[in-house]
Amino acid sequence: MAAAAVTRIIDIVEGNPKLSAAGKGTTDIEYHPNEDKWKARTARRLAENPTLPETPLPEGFPNTLKSPLVWEGKDWKKPSDWEYELSVDELKEIDDAVQHFKALRKPFGYITPSTFPLPKLGPILHHLSRELHNGRGFFVLRTIPVANYSKEDNILIYAGVSSYIGTLRGVQDKGDGVLAHIKDLTQTHPLKIIGAPAYTTDKQVFHTDAGDIISLFVLEIAGDGGLSRISSSWKVYNELAQTRPDLIKTLSEPWPVDGFGGKPPYTSRPLLFHHDSKIIIQYARRLFTGFLGLPRSKDIPPITEAQAEALDTVHFLAEKYALGLNFQKGDIQYINNLSIFHGRDGFTDTPDHTRHLLRLWLRHPELAWKIPAELEGTWKKLYYTATPDTEQFPAEPIIRNASLGGAKYA
């Protein structure tokens, strides 16, 4: 079962000091949130300083966010609230676009709405992109018949359809790789080189990726488990603003973001921003706890008790208000990565069902939110360094350089 697979990974980590060791002086916090530790830390901090809930919000931060982006899982009554099911005619239009692009004999970096024409479906997809930016912030496109196409054609379809959601594809890996594979690689790769849960069967805690829009295309589902979960960060913000504004202050101050052996060894930036009248959160828990082959670096500043409580509080509130999205083979999920957390349950693969997703980081220049100065450098690298001739779309799963453990710590 999925729980057994997760236990296997945890046992290996705890039994190997090279994999589990954290940075010197690190606060007692791990990748997997511990609810008992969180409650104890919260009680201890409030006992030490009962005035924490009276802390003023950072200057300019709103007391309450009012928007369709503020929601909780129970608000959505049925999958049709967020799913768009492709019709026979729309699937035929997609198939025609595949043949049209292949006839051009161009590299995949040239996939755009003009080279992948969807005259009827295209405007619908553009409307759905507006929903990502200005509405509820997520939707699922159902369902591409992946079994009818080759690996390369499925990638072509995914990139072509997604070009109507965001024309810019973010670089996810060295060599201008703009497509990533999410798949368990623990059976084929040493654990010491795996530095992110995306390449395991482990549960992924709530987090954001880099970029504006995160998209996942389901090539195959797991034998058991692997439910995708999303949660509104704006809902979490509202609860924190009312109950623990001190944690919003903590999240809006600089944090030591681990470079995992890179240069510089760490950078400092806030995790939470108020910019252009919007709340934006950008964080991944493993950057402060490490994971498997990328343990937290030694000799970088440890996170504080306040930061540890903030990480746990964000996770458990996101979990409280989450919505589960029951992926089917051929589904494509799109979410606003600036306002929605995502995670997934642990899972177990079987010979007939080996979970395998593709991922794109997208940006729509006309609809995109304005980005705070602290993130501009990252966004420039993501969206404005690759060219159509340099973009790479790997057909087989590889571990991204940013998630590659072991070598940096040899």
Side-chain angles (χ1 to χ4, degrees):
M1 299 299 289
V6 172
T7 300
R8 170 180 172 267
I9 292 172
I10 292 173
D11 288 345
I12 291 171
V13 174
E14 292 178 344
N16 188 332
K18 290 184 178 180
L19 295 182
S20 60
K24 183 169 58 179
T26 298
T27 300
D28 181 22
I29 187 169
E30 301 165 343
Y31 175 75
H32 287 285
N34 183 305
E35 189 169 3
D36 291 336
K37 287 184 179 180
W38 167 55
K39 290 179 178 178
R41 177 176 283 115
T42 297
R44 182 172 64 250
R45 295 192 67 237
L46 290 176
E48 292 170 352
N49 186 354
T51 67
L52 286 176
E54 301 169 16
T55 303
L57 287 169
E59 184 176 356
F61 279 62
N63 291 319
T64 304
L65 294 167
K66 296 181 180 179
S67 164
L69 287 168
V70 179
W71 51 261
E72 52 186 292
K74 69 180 183 180
D75 293 336
W76 308 106
K77 306 303 182 185
K78 55 188 184 302
S80 59
D81 290 340
W82 64 82
E83 293 175 354
Y84 182 85
E85 188 161 355
L86 294 165
S87 69
V88 172
D89 289 344
E90 288 165 342
L91 290 171
K92 175 64 165 60
E93 192 171 75
I94 290 172
D95 190 70
D96 290 343
V98 170
Q99 305 312 317
H100 176 88
F101 183 83
K102 290 169 72 171
L104 298 177
R105 298 184 180 278
K106 290 180 175 288
F108 278 14
Y110 286 89
I111 298 171
T112 67
S114 62
T115 60
F116 196 88
L118 300 172
K120 294 181 180 179
L121 179 58
I124 295 171
L125 294 173
H126 185 71
H127 172 77
L128 290 169
S129 185
R130 289 187 178 278
E131 185 68 33
L132 291 177
H133 292 85
N134 304 311
R136 65 180 173 268
F138 69 97
F139 73 92
V140 172
L141 195 66
R142 176 162 289 176
T143 301
I144 302 297
V146 296
N148 294 350
Y149 295 96
S150 67
K151 292 179 182 178
E152 291 74 16
D153 283 356
N154 273 311
I155 292 172
L156 169 56
I157 289 170
Y158 181 34
V161 169
S162 297
S163 70
Y164 288 84
I165 305 301
T167 55
L168 301 180
R169 291 178 285 266
V171 173
Q172 301 187 52
D173 203 3
K174 63 180 181 179
D176 289 348
V178 297
L179 180 80
H181 294 253
I182 310 299
K183 191 173 187 289
D184 174 36
L185 299 180
T186 62
Q187 303 303 314
T188 56
H189 293 65
L191 288 178
K192 67 181 182 180
I193 72 168
I194 296 176
Y199 307 110
T200 74
T201 61
D202 207 353
K203 174 181 179 178
Q204 279 190 291
V205 301
F206 285 102
H207 65 287
T208 66
D209 285 9
D212 291 17
I213 300 166
I214 303 306
S215 173
L216 295 170
F217 179 28
V218 185
L219 296 182
E220 185 56 83
I221 60 173
D224 179 63
L227 182 68
S228 175
R229 298 185 187 275
I230 62 173
S231 190
S232 165
S233 69
W234 285 30
K235 174 66 178 179
V236 171
Y237 175 91
N238 278 352
E239 179 147 335
L240 288 176
Q242 295 301 311
T243 62
R244 291 297 302 277
D246 59 299
L247 296 182
I248 288 180
K249 181 176 183 294
T250 296
L251 290 164
S252 69
E253 295 172 340
W255 289 51
V257 180
D258 202 336
F260 294 117
K263 295 182 180 180
Y266 73 95
T267 56
S268 295
R269 67 163 176 84
L271 308 190
L272 183 69
F273 306 87
H274 182 239
H275 186 70
D276 193 35
S277 301
K278 294 180 174 67
I279 287 293
I280 293 173
I281 190 162
Q282 280 284 284
Y283 95 106
R285 187 180 177 97
R286 72 178 185 89
L287 299 179
F288 307 101
T289 65
F291 183 86
L292 278 183
L294 285 181
R296 184 165 174 81
S297 297
K298 300 177 180 179
D299 300 321
I300 71 172
I303 65 172
T304 66
E305 282 291 303
Q307 289 171 335
E309 188 194 357
L311 282 180
D312 280 349
T313 303
V314 165
H315 171 79
F316 286 112
L317 286 180
E319 194 170 69
K320 176 181 177 181
Y321 295 120
L323 171 69
L325 303 179
N326 188 21
F327 275 167
Q328 293 183 13
K329 183 175 181 176
D331 286 356
I332 307 178
Q333 170 187 285
Y334 297 94
I335 66 171
N336 181 330
N337 184 60
L338 302 178
S339 69
I340 291 180
F341 302 118
H342 64 284
R344 67 135 197 260
D345 292 354
F347 64 92
T348 300
D349 285 332
T350 64
D352 294 332
H353 294 289
T354 300
R355 192 177 194 269
H356 188 179
L357 312 182
L358 301 179
R359 182 180 68 194
L360 290 170
W361 292 343
L362 304 168
R363 181 172 174 84
H364 193 300
E366 295 176 7
L367 300 177
W369 291 11
K370 294 180 180 179
I371 299 301
E374 294 91 337
L375 299 177
E376 285 180 353
T378 299
W379 257 243
K380 183 177 180 180
K381 291 178 183 177
L382 285 176
Y383 294 114
Y384 301 102
T385 55
T387 69
D389 287 311
T390 65
E391 285 188 357
Q392 298 296 313
F393 298 76
E396 299 296 334
I398 56 174
I399 300 174
R400 294 193 310 130
N401 190 60
S403 302
L404 191 62
K408 297 179 182 180
Y409 293 89

